[in-house]
Amino acid sequence: MLTRIDHIGIACFDLDKTVEFYRATYGFEVFHTEVNEEQGVREAMLKINETSDGGASYLQLLEPTREDSAVGKWLAKNGEGVHHIAFGTADVDGDAEAIRGKGVRVLYDEPRTGSMGSRITFLHPKDCHGVLTELVTSNPEH
């Protein structure tokens, strides 16, 4: 069962400038940064709040590390902006299978490693009214 909005992913050309905008404008601070080589992105997670299920809600700022990454291609086509929405779940495997059973295409056969050691998969935007949707099971260590 989906429990919260885990994060909203925002694609950007310059991570440092975008982080500074969110810090100066809204007072959001960076909670975590990492480079995900598999996905070809450098990212910063800005924590917005804690949630009742023990998780948190974030803004995830994404800068491509290579032009052929999914985010790099998306930026070239669309420019900066909201890239995806992610819903938190305690069971990414079970929820992905249940959603697949409803006719929605799940992009990964098996969940992959996401930010902060989470387990993730994506749902096809054409099956979700144009919204790239991510399912996330947080790593309990974060």
Side-chain angles (χ1 to χ4, degrees):
M1 179 169 90
L2 305 180
T3 59
R4 69 184 182 285
I5 294 175
D6 184 85
H7 66 271
I8 299 188
I10 299 171
C12 61
F13 290 111
D14 185 320
L15 185 66
D16 297 327
K17 284 183 181 178
T18 307
V19 164
E20 183 52 35
F21 168 81
Y22 281 95
R23 179 182 294 126
T25 305
Y26 306 116
F28 298 153
E29 294 296 332
V30 173
F31 178 78
H32 176 82
T33 60
E34 70 181 80
V35 174
N36 186 318
E37 295 294 343
E38 179 183 5
Q39 294 181 21
V41 295
R42 186 168 77 105
E43 66 180 76
M45 297 294 274
L46 287 67
K47 186 185 277 188
I48 306 305
N49 67 322
E50 302 290 336
T51 61
S52 62
D53 67 356
S57 293
Y58 302 91
L59 287 180
Q60 178 188 45
L61 306 179
L62 300 158
E63 175 190 63
T65 58
R66 56 183 197 270
E67 291 179 12
D68 68 339
S69 70
V71 172
K73 292 175 186 176
W74 190 90
L75 269 171
K77 181 179 177 182
N78 301 294
E80 293 184 309
V82 174
H83 179 263
H84 67 274
I85 186 167
F87 294 110
T89 173
D91 182 10
V92 70
D93 299 272
D95 284 338
E97 276 308 306
I99 291 168
R100 181 181 279 126
K102 295 177 181 178
V104 175
R105 287 174 281 179
V106 178
L107 298 183
Y108 304 150
D109 290 332
E110 295 290 326
R112 297 182 181 178
T113 301
S115 300
M116 301 182 286
S118 62
R119 298 188 70 239
I120 65 166
T121 195
F122 285 89
L123 309 178
H124 200 293
K126 289 185 178 177
D127 297 342
C128 300
H129 298 272
V131 178
L132 179 61
T133 304
E134 182 179 6
L135 305 179
V136 178
T137 297
S138 298
N139 180 335
E141 295 177 16
H142 287 276

